[in-house]
Amino acid sequence: MEWQEKGYIQKLRNRYYYFSDQEVDEPFLYYTANELYHPSYVSLESALSRYGFIPEGVFQVTSCTTLKTNSFNTPVGRFTYRHLKPSLFFGYQLEEWNDHRYAMAGPEKTLIDYLYLHHEVKETADLEALRWNTVEINNRISMKTLNSYEAHINSPALSRRLTTLKTYLNATT
């Protein structure tokens, strides 16, 4: 409490603090997202932006978790978490930051997470409306990995959305 009163640390939420002189950059925010609510990994709009798949800036960190859907407003930003069933909690890697690690969805799992959680994406026009950078997606993803994840998940609804995505990606190359 004394450190907080002197301004050395600031409270993020219960039991979570950060040093006031800490640079608040993307890796710090990703690490913080993992720490505030775990298990979780950064995905969805945050990862789409990080990989250059969407043109917009993202003003919150979005993650996937096996816990209930939740969100937190903190002094450093908003953190949003979307629930996935435990069998879908894969496809992320640990990235290094300042002797710490945070979990980030790979490019293929980012696309799958988005399509899995956004049932409204059904046809090519829906994908066009998202304004995804198809050149960057085609350059960064492995179709072999995408197909492997699709087979592992074994969801007919997701497979339909992925087929639409693959058709859309092929049409724009």
Side-chain angles (χ1 to χ4, degrees):
M1 194 67 165
E2 183 178 331
W3 279 24
Q4 193 174 357
E5 289 169 4
K6 290 184 177 182
Y8 299 153
I9 60 173
Q10 291 188 23
K11 184 177 185 175
L12 286 169
R13 63 183 298 259
N14 293 341
R15 300 184 343 259
Y16 294 99
Y17 297 84
Y18 71 100
F19 287 105
S20 299
D21 63 353
Q22 170 65 51
E23 179 185 358
V24 179
D25 56 7
E26 279 188 347
F28 169 76
L29 293 173
Y30 298 154
Y31 173 76
T32 301
N34 281 192
E35 290 295 309
L36 287 179
Y37 205 61
H38 59 274
S40 68
Y41 61 87
V42 177
S43 187
L44 304 166
E45 292 82 4
S46 294
L48 287 169
S49 178
R50 177 159 187 246
Y51 292 127
F53 293 174
I54 58 174
E56 298 87 18
V58 176
F59 301 102
Q60 67 178 354
V61 178
T62 51
S63 300
C64 291
T65 181
T66 56
L67 304 174
K68 70 178 185 147
T69 294
N70 212 334
S71 63
F72 308 108
N73 289 313
T74 74
V76 297
R78 182 172 173 81
F79 298 90
T80 301
Y81 302 86
R82 297 286 306 271
H83 171 77
L84 289 178
K85 58 187 176 181
S87 64
L88 299 180
F89 197 80
F90 69 93
Y92 60 88
Q93 65 269 347
L94 295 178
E95 301 199 3
E96 296 283 332
W97 170 77
N98 286 359
D99 296 325
H100 300 287
R101 290 185 185 90
Y102 60 86
M104 170 71 66
E108 299 83 5
K109 189 60 165 53
T110 298
L111 295 173
I112 284 177
D113 288 345
Y114 190 90
L115 293 175
Y116 185 82
L117 292 169
H118 288 84
H119 304 284
E120 71 278 6
V121 177
K122 293 184 172 125
E123 47 196 57
T124 304
D126 300 324
L127 290 168
E128 287 171 354
L130 293 172
R131 300 181 354 190
W132 283 0
N133 183 339
T134 56
V135 172
E136 193 64 27
I137 293 171
N138 278 316
N139 286 338
R140 290 201 74 150
I141 68 167
S142 158
M143 279 298 169
K144 182 178 178 182
T145 301
L146 194 69
N147 292 335
S148 169
Y149 289 175
E150 177 183 359
H152 173 76
I153 294 169
N154 193 25
S155 161
L158 176 63
S159 289
R160 283 191 296 277
R161 290 192 285 281
L162 282 169
T163 297
T164 301
L165 174 64
K166 292 172 193 174
T167 301
Y168 177 62
L169 292 174
N170 284 333
T172 58
T173 54

